[in-house]
mmCIF file of all heavy atoms in Angstrom:
data_model
loop_
_atom_site.group_PDB
_atom_site.id
_atom_site.type_symbol
_atom_site.label_atom_id
_atom_site.label_comp_id
_atom_site.label_asym_id
_atom_site.label_seq_id
_atom_site.Cartn_x
_atom_site.Cartn_y
_atom_site.Cartn_z
ATOM 1 N N ALA A 75 -12.187 -20.968 -45.118
ATOM 2 C CA ALA A 75 -11.662 -20.554 -43.840
ATOM 3 C C ALA A 75 -12.169 -19.104 -43.521
ATOM 4 O O ALA A 75 -12.507 -18.801 -42.366
ATOM 5 C CB ALA A 75 -10.133 -20.605 -43.801
ATOM 6 N N HIS A 76 -12.180 -18.268 -44.537
ATOM 7 C CA HIS A 76 -12.680 -16.917 -44.313
ATOM 8 C C HIS A 76 -14.165 -16.907 -44.049
ATOM 9 O O HIS A 76 -14.666 -16.089 -43.274
ATOM 10 C CB HIS A 76 -12.326 -16.027 -45.532
ATOM 11 C CG HIS A 76 -10.916 -15.569 -45.495
ATOM 12 N ND1 HIS A 76 -10.493 -14.491 -44.682
ATOM 13 C CD2 HIS A 76 -9.791 -15.943 -46.163
ATOM 14 C CE1 HIS A 76 -9.204 -14.302 -44.842
ATOM 15 N NE2 HIS A 76 -8.769 -15.174 -45.760
ATOM 16 N N ALA A 77 -14.908 -17.793 -44.674
ATOM 17 C CA ALA A 77 -16.318 -17.891 -44.379
ATOM 18 C C ALA A 77 -16.565 -18.264 -42.926
ATOM 19 O O ALA A 77 -17.462 -17.744 -42.270
ATOM 20 C CB ALA A 77 -16.987 -18.933 -45.313
ATOM 21 N N LEU A 78 -15.703 -19.123 -42.383
ATOM 22 C CA LEU A 78 -15.787 -19.498 -41.008
ATOM 23 C C LEU A 78 -15.519 -18.320 -40.095
ATOM 24 O O LEU A 78 -16.202 -18.105 -39.094
ATOM 25 C CB LEU A 78 -14.835 -20.658 -40.669
ATOM 26 C CG LEU A 78 -14.749 -21.127 -39.205
ATOM 27 C CD1 LEU A 78 -16.127 -21.522 -38.687
ATOM 28 C CD2 LEU A 78 -13.774 -22.289 -39.076
ATOM 29 N N GLN A 79 -14.543 -17.495 -40.463
ATOM 30 C CA GLN A 79 -14.283 -16.276 -39.696
ATOM 31 C C GLN A 79 -15.488 -15.318 -39.721
ATOM 32 O O GLN A 79 -15.870 -14.759 -38.689
ATOM 33 C CB GLN A 79 -13.050 -15.554 -40.290
ATOM 34 C CG GLN A 79 -11.738 -16.301 -40.072
ATOM 35 C CD GLN A 79 -10.562 -15.659 -40.735
ATOM 36 O OE1 GLN A 79 -10.691 -14.550 -41.310
ATOM 37 N NE2 GLN A 79 -9.426 -16.305 -40.724
ATOM 38 N N CYS A 80 -16.123 -15.190 -40.873
ATOM 39 C CA CYS A 80 -17.324 -14.362 -40.961
ATOM 40 C C CYS A 80 -18.422 -14.926 -40.090
ATOM 41 O O CYS A 80 -19.151 -14.209 -39.408
ATOM 42 C CB CYS A 80 -17.830 -14.286 -42.401
ATOM 43 S SG CYS A 80 -16.748 -13.440 -43.596
ATOM 44 N N LEU A 81 -18.567 -16.231 -40.090
ATOM 45 C CA LEU A 81 -19.619 -16.894 -39.289
ATOM 46 C C LEU A 81 -19.450 -16.634 -37.802
ATOM 47 O O LEU A 81 -20.464 -16.442 -37.101
ATOM 48 C CB LEU A 81 -19.620 -18.407 -39.569
ATOM 49 C CG LEU A 81 -20.574 -19.249 -38.796
ATOM 50 C CD1 LEU A 81 -22.043 -18.864 -39.116
ATOM 51 C CD2 LEU A 81 -20.367 -20.736 -39.116
ATOM 52 N N THR A 82 -18.244 -16.613 -37.299
ATOM 53 C CA THR A 82 -18.030 -16.454 -35.885
ATOM 54 C C THR A 82 -18.012 -14.991 -35.460
ATOM 55 O O THR A 82 -17.983 -14.739 -34.236
ATOM 56 C CB THR A 82 -16.688 -17.079 -35.460
ATOM 57 O OG1 THR A 82 -15.600 -16.524 -36.228
ATOM 58 C CG2 THR A 82 -16.700 -18.589 -35.749
ATOM 59 N N GLU A 83 -18.074 -14.080 -36.368
ATOM 60 C CA GLU A 83 -18.185 -12.653 -36.033
ATOM 61 C C GLU A 83 -19.546 -12.369 -35.377
ATOM 62 O O GLU A 83 -20.595 -12.718 -35.938
ATOM 63 C CB GLU A 83 -18.009 -11.801 -37.302
ATOM 64 C CG GLU A 83 -18.300 -10.306 -37.122
ATOM 65 C CD GLU A 83 -17.378 -9.678 -36.085
ATOM 66 O OE1 GLU A 83 -16.164 -9.722 -36.269
ATOM 67 O OE2 GLU A 83 -17.935 -9.118 -35.076
ATOM 68 N N SER A 84 -19.554 -11.748 -34.228
ATOM 69 C CA SER A 84 -20.802 -11.497 -33.462
ATOM 70 C C SER A 84 -21.442 -10.186 -33.803
ATOM 71 O O SER A 84 -22.669 -10.053 -33.563
ATOM 72 C CB SER A 84 -20.530 -11.623 -31.971
ATOM 73 O OG SER A 84 -19.573 -10.677 -31.541
ATOM 74 N N ASP A 85 -20.713 -9.180 -34.234
ATOM 75 C CA ASP A 85 -21.295 -7.894 -34.483
ATOM 76 C C ASP A 85 -21.969 -7.886 -35.860
ATOM 77 O O ASP A 85 -21.306 -8.180 -36.881
ATOM 78 C CB ASP A 85 -20.186 -6.806 -34.472
ATOM 79 C CG ASP A 85 -20.776 -5.438 -34.740
ATOM 80 O OD1 ASP A 85 -21.433 -4.875 -33.850
ATOM 81 O OD2 ASP A 85 -20.568 -4.934 -35.914
ATOM 82 N N PRO A 86 -23.258 -7.567 -35.957
ATOM 83 C CA PRO A 86 -23.977 -7.656 -37.244
ATOM 84 C C PRO A 86 -23.286 -6.765 -38.327
ATOM 85 O O PRO A 86 -23.180 -7.240 -39.461
ATOM 86 C CB PRO A 86 -25.355 -7.189 -36.899
ATOM 87 C CG PRO A 86 -25.516 -7.537 -35.441
ATOM 88 C CD PRO A 86 -24.201 -7.314 -34.835
ATOM 89 N N ALA A 88 -20.229 -5.689 -38.588
ATOM 90 C CA ALA A 88 -18.940 -6.291 -38.964
ATOM 91 C C ALA A 88 -19.131 -7.544 -39.804
ATOM 92 O O ALA A 88 -18.351 -7.788 -40.730
ATOM 93 C CB ALA A 88 -18.104 -6.606 -37.725
ATOM 94 N N LYS A 89 -20.128 -8.325 -39.470
ATOM 95 C CA LYS A 89 -20.400 -9.569 -40.220
ATOM 96 C C LYS A 89 -20.790 -9.222 -41.687
ATOM 97 O O LYS A 89 -20.296 -9.788 -42.667
ATOM 98 C CB LYS A 89 -21.523 -10.395 -39.560
ATOM 99 C CG LYS A 89 -21.665 -11.783 -40.167
ATOM 100 C CD LYS A 89 -22.889 -12.512 -39.599
ATOM 101 C CE LYS A 89 -22.747 -12.855 -38.157
ATOM 102 N NZ LYS A 89 -21.879 -14.045 -37.940
ATOM 103 N N ALA A 92 -17.753 -8.028 -43.543
ATOM 104 C CA ALA A 92 -16.844 -9.133 -43.812
ATOM 105 C C ALA A 92 -17.349 -9.991 -44.984
ATOM 106 O O ALA A 92 -16.563 -10.403 -45.817
ATOM 107 C CB ALA A 92 -16.614 -9.972 -42.576
ATOM 108 N N VAL A 93 -18.637 -10.237 -45.021
ATOM 109 C CA VAL A 93 -19.224 -11.017 -46.099
ATOM 110 C C VAL A 93 -19.045 -10.266 -47.445
ATOM 111 O O VAL A 93 -18.705 -10.868 -48.461
ATOM 112 C CB VAL A 93 -20.704 -11.321 -45.839
ATOM 113 C CG1 VAL A 93 -21.394 -11.881 -47.083
ATOM 114 C CG2 VAL A 93 -20.833 -12.315 -44.704
ATOM 115 N N THR A 114 -11.873 -26.768 -38.555
ATOM 116 C CA THR A 114 -12.469 -26.827 -37.242
ATOM 117 C C THR A 114 -12.568 -25.403 -36.678
ATOM 118 O O THR A 114 -11.828 -24.512 -37.124
ATOM 119 C CB THR A 114 -11.650 -27.703 -36.284
ATOM 120 O OG1 THR A 114 -10.315 -27.196 -36.207
ATOM 121 C CG2 THR A 114 -11.625 -29.136 -36.793
ATOM 122 N N SER A 115 -13.434 -25.225 -35.730
ATOM 123 C CA SER A 115 -13.594 -23.927 -35.096
ATOM 124 C C SER A 115 -13.454 -24.034 -33.588
ATOM 125 O O SER A 115 -14.050 -24.988 -32.989
ATOM 126 C CB SER A 115 -14.937 -23.298 -35.477
ATOM 127 O OG SER A 115 -15.126 -22.074 -34.814
ATOM 128 N N THR A 116 -12.742 -23.066 -32.979
ATOM 129 C CA THR A 116 -12.678 -23.027 -31.542
ATOM 130 C C THR A 116 -13.581 -21.911 -31.043
ATOM 131 O O THR A 116 -13.673 -21.738 -29.775
ATOM 132 C CB THR A 116 -11.228 -22.757 -31.084
ATOM 133 O OG1 THR A 116 -10.759 -21.567 -31.707
ATOM 134 C CG2 THR A 116 -10.312 -23.935 -31.496
ATOM 135 N N SER A 117 -14.216 -21.185 -31.899
ATOM 136 C CA SER A 117 -15.096 -20.110 -31.502
ATOM 137 C C SER A 117 -16.557 -20.571 -31.509
ATOM 138 O O SER A 117 -16.905 -21.586 -32.152
ATOM 139 C CB SER A 117 -14.962 -18.936 -32.443
ATOM 140 O OG SER A 117 -13.636 -18.412 -32.459
ATOM 141 N N GLU A 118 -17.404 -19.825 -30.814
ATOM 142 C CA GLU A 118 -18.834 -20.187 -30.792
ATOM 143 C C GLU A 118 -19.477 -19.993 -32.163
ATOM 144 O O GLU A 118 -19.174 -19.033 -32.859
ATOM 145 C CB GLU A 118 -19.559 -19.306 -29.808
ATOM 146 C CG GLU A 118 -21.017 -19.652 -29.625
ATOM 147 C CD GLU A 118 -21.688 -18.773 -28.567
ATOM 148 O OE1 GLU A 118 -21.020 -17.966 -27.931
ATOM 149 O OE2 GLU A 118 -22.936 -18.951 -28.352
ATOM 150 N N ILE A 119 -20.284 -20.966 -32.564
ATOM 151 C CA ILE A 119 -20.970 -20.897 -33.853
ATOM 152 C C ILE A 119 -22.461 -20.922 -33.567
ATOM 153 O O ILE A 119 -22.955 -21.813 -32.900
ATOM 154 C CB ILE A 119 -20.569 -22.067 -34.722
ATOM 155 C CG1 ILE A 119 -19.082 -21.922 -35.161
ATOM 156 C CG2 ILE A 119 -21.425 -22.144 -35.959
ATOM 157 C CD1 ILE A 119 -18.539 -23.075 -35.982
ATOM 158 N N PRO A 120 -23.205 -19.952 -34.172
ATOM 159 C CA PRO A 120 -22.741 -18.816 -34.961
ATOM 160 C C PRO A 120 -22.379 -17.657 -34.015
ATOM 161 O O PRO A 120 -22.867 -17.602 -32.893
ATOM 162 C CB PRO A 120 -23.945 -18.482 -35.800
ATOM 163 C CG PRO A 120 -25.103 -18.784 -34.886
ATOM 164 C CD PRO A 120 -24.695 -20.004 -34.129
ATOM 165 N N GLY A 121 -21.574 -16.759 -34.514
ATOM 166 C CA GLY A 121 -21.340 -15.536 -33.799
ATOM 167 C C GLY A 121 -22.566 -14.625 -33.973
ATOM 168 O O GLY A 121 -23.063 -14.413 -35.045
ATOM 169 N N ARG A 122 -23.053 -14.098 -32.826
ATOM 170 C CA ARG A 122 -24.219 -13.183 -32.840
ATOM 171 C C ARG A 122 -24.183 -12.320 -31.633
ATOM 172 O O ARG A 122 -23.592 -12.656 -30.632
ATOM 173 C CB ARG A 122 -25.527 -13.992 -32.978
ATOM 174 C CG ARG A 122 -25.738 -15.048 -31.957
ATOM 175 C CD ARG A 122 -26.985 -15.843 -32.343
ATOM 176 N NE ARG A 122 -27.106 -17.119 -31.626
ATOM 177 C CZ ARG A 122 -27.931 -18.083 -31.994
ATOM 178 N NH1 ARG A 122 -28.752 -17.901 -33.045
ATOM 179 N NH2 ARG A 122 -28.058 -19.170 -31.284
ATOM 180 N N PRO A 123 -24.889 -11.205 -31.688
ATOM 181 C CA PRO A 123 -24.878 -10.277 -30.527
ATOM 182 C C PRO A 123 -25.619 -10.809 -29.355
ATOM 183 O O PRO A 123 -26.416 -11.772 -29.454
ATOM 184 C CB PRO A 123 -25.549 -9.037 -31.129
ATOM 185 C CG PRO A 123 -26.413 -9.533 -32.215
ATOM 186 C CD PRO A 123 -25.663 -10.664 -32.840
ATOM 187 N N PHE A 157 -30.587 -12.328 -40.646
ATOM 188 C CA PHE A 157 -29.295 -12.457 -39.975
ATOM 189 C C PHE A 157 -28.944 -13.941 -39.800
ATOM 190 O O PHE A 157 -27.830 -14.327 -40.076
ATOM 191 C CB PHE A 157 -29.389 -11.787 -38.601
ATOM 192 C CG PHE A 157 -28.070 -11.807 -37.834
ATOM 193 C CD1 PHE A 157 -27.075 -10.943 -38.240
ATOM 194 C CD2 PHE A 157 -27.882 -12.678 -36.808
ATOM 195 C CE1 PHE A 157 -25.822 -10.990 -37.544
ATOM 196 C CE2 PHE A 157 -26.673 -12.700 -36.127
ATOM 197 C CZ PHE A 157 -25.649 -11.855 -36.496
ATOM 198 N N ILE A 160 -27.785 -15.336 -43.140
ATOM 199 C CA ILE A 160 -26.348 -15.062 -43.401
ATOM 200 C C ILE A 160 -25.542 -16.214 -42.816
ATOM 201 O O ILE A 160 -24.670 -16.795 -43.450
ATOM 202 C CB ILE A 160 -25.898 -13.758 -42.821
ATOM 203 C CG1 ILE A 160 -26.668 -12.541 -43.346
ATOM 204 C CG2 ILE A 160 -24.376 -13.540 -43.117
ATOM 205 C CD1 ILE A 160 -26.402 -11.233 -42.567
ATOM 206 N N ASN A 161 -25.809 -16.515 -41.556
ATOM 207 C CA ASN A 161 -25.055 -17.529 -40.841
ATOM 208 C C ASN A 161 -25.216 -18.907 -41.471
ATOM 209 O O ASN A 161 -24.260 -19.667 -41.559
ATOM 210 C CB ASN A 161 -25.463 -17.551 -39.354
ATOM 211 C CG ASN A 161 -24.976 -16.361 -38.598
ATOM 212 O OD1 ASN A 161 -23.936 -15.756 -38.916
ATOM 213 N ND2 ASN A 161 -25.704 -15.977 -37.590
ATOM 214 N N LEU A 164 -23.073 -19.161 -44.595
ATOM 215 C CA LEU A 164 -21.648 -19.270 -44.261
ATOM 216 C C LEU A 164 -21.339 -20.636 -43.690
ATOM 217 O O LEU A 164 -20.296 -21.216 -43.996
ATOM 218 C CB LEU A 164 -21.287 -18.198 -43.234
ATOM 219 C CG LEU A 164 -21.344 -16.739 -43.769
ATOM 220 C CD1 LEU A 164 -21.202 -15.751 -42.621
ATOM 221 C CD2 LEU A 164 -20.255 -16.463 -44.833
ATOM 222 N N ASP A 165 -22.257 -21.195 -42.900
ATOM 223 C CA ASP A 165 -22.057 -22.531 -42.333
ATOM 224 C C ASP A 165 -21.990 -23.573 -43.414
ATOM 225 O O ASP A 165 -21.234 -24.519 -43.362
ATOM 226 C CB ASP A 165 -23.126 -22.855 -41.322
ATOM 227 C CG ASP A 165 -22.817 -24.028 -40.494
ATOM 228 O OD1 ASP A 165 -22.063 -23.893 -39.507
ATOM 229 O OD2 ASP A 165 -23.310 -25.157 -40.791
ATOM 230 N N TRP A 168 -18.279 -23.476 -44.968
ATOM 231 C CA TRP A 168 -17.114 -23.991 -44.258
ATOM 232 C C TRP A 168 -17.247 -25.442 -43.802
ATOM 233 O O TRP A 168 -16.293 -26.186 -43.745
ATOM 234 C CB TRP A 168 -16.769 -23.095 -43.025
ATOM 235 C CG TRP A 168 -17.512 -23.475 -41.745
ATOM 236 C CD1 TRP A 168 -18.733 -23.041 -41.342
ATOM 237 C CD2 TRP A 168 -17.085 -24.404 -40.749
ATOM 238 N NE1 TRP A 168 -19.102 -23.598 -40.172
ATOM 239 C CE2 TRP A 168 -18.074 -24.486 -39.786
ATOM 240 C CE3 TRP A 168 -15.920 -25.216 -40.614
ATOM 241 C CZ2 TRP A 168 -17.971 -25.265 -38.665
ATOM 242 C CZ3 TRP A 168 -15.839 -26.025 -39.535
ATOM 243 C CH2 TRP A 168 -16.837 -26.045 -38.526
ATOM 244 N N ARG A 169 -18.485 -25.819 -43.519
ATOM 245 C CA ARG A 169 -18.646 -27.072 -42.783
ATOM 246 C C ARG A 169 -18.482 -28.323 -43.684
ATOM 247 O O ARG A 169 -17.975 -29.354 -43.208
ATOM 248 C CB ARG A 169 -20.070 -27.160 -42.179
ATOM 249 C CG ARG A 169 -20.268 -28.372 -41.283
ATOM 250 C CD ARG A 169 -21.606 -28.309 -40.564
ATOM 251 N NE ARG A 169 -21.728 -27.184 -39.629
ATOM 252 C CZ ARG A 169 -21.174 -27.182 -38.383
ATOM 253 N NH1 ARG A 169 -20.558 -28.243 -37.918
ATOM 254 N NH2 ARG A 169 -21.323 -26.131 -37.622
ATOM 255 N N TRP A 216 -32.031 -21.589 -37.046
ATOM 256 C CA TRP A 216 -30.693 -22.106 -36.739
ATOM 257 C C TRP A 216 -30.742 -23.496 -36.054
ATOM 258 O O TRP A 216 -29.787 -24.306 -36.253
ATOM 259 C CB TRP A 216 -29.915 -21.114 -35.833
ATOM 260 C CG TRP A 216 -28.516 -21.633 -35.655
ATOM 261 C CD1 TRP A 216 -27.963 -22.283 -34.595
ATOM 262 C CD2 TRP A 216 -27.438 -21.544 -36.639
ATOM 263 N NE1 TRP A 216 -26.669 -22.629 -34.848
ATOM 264 C CE2 TRP A 216 -26.335 -22.173 -36.091
ATOM 265 C CE3 TRP A 216 -27.382 -20.963 -37.887
ATOM 266 C CZ2 TRP A 216 -25.165 -22.276 -36.786
ATOM 267 C CZ3 TRP A 216 -26.164 -21.069 -38.606
ATOM 268 C CH2 TRP A 216 -25.072 -21.712 -38.036
#
Side-chain angles (χ1 to χ4, degrees):
H76 279 283
L78 177 56
Q79 292 175 5
C80 293
L81 177 62
T82 58
E83 173 58 58
S84 61
D85 179 75
K89 189 187 293 281
V93 168
T114 58
S115 176
T116 57
S117 300
E118 183 178 359
I119 293 176
R122 52 188 166 194
F157 183 76
I160 302 170
N161 288 331
L164 293 169
D165 193 80
W168 87 269
R169 186 174 297 278
W216 187 261

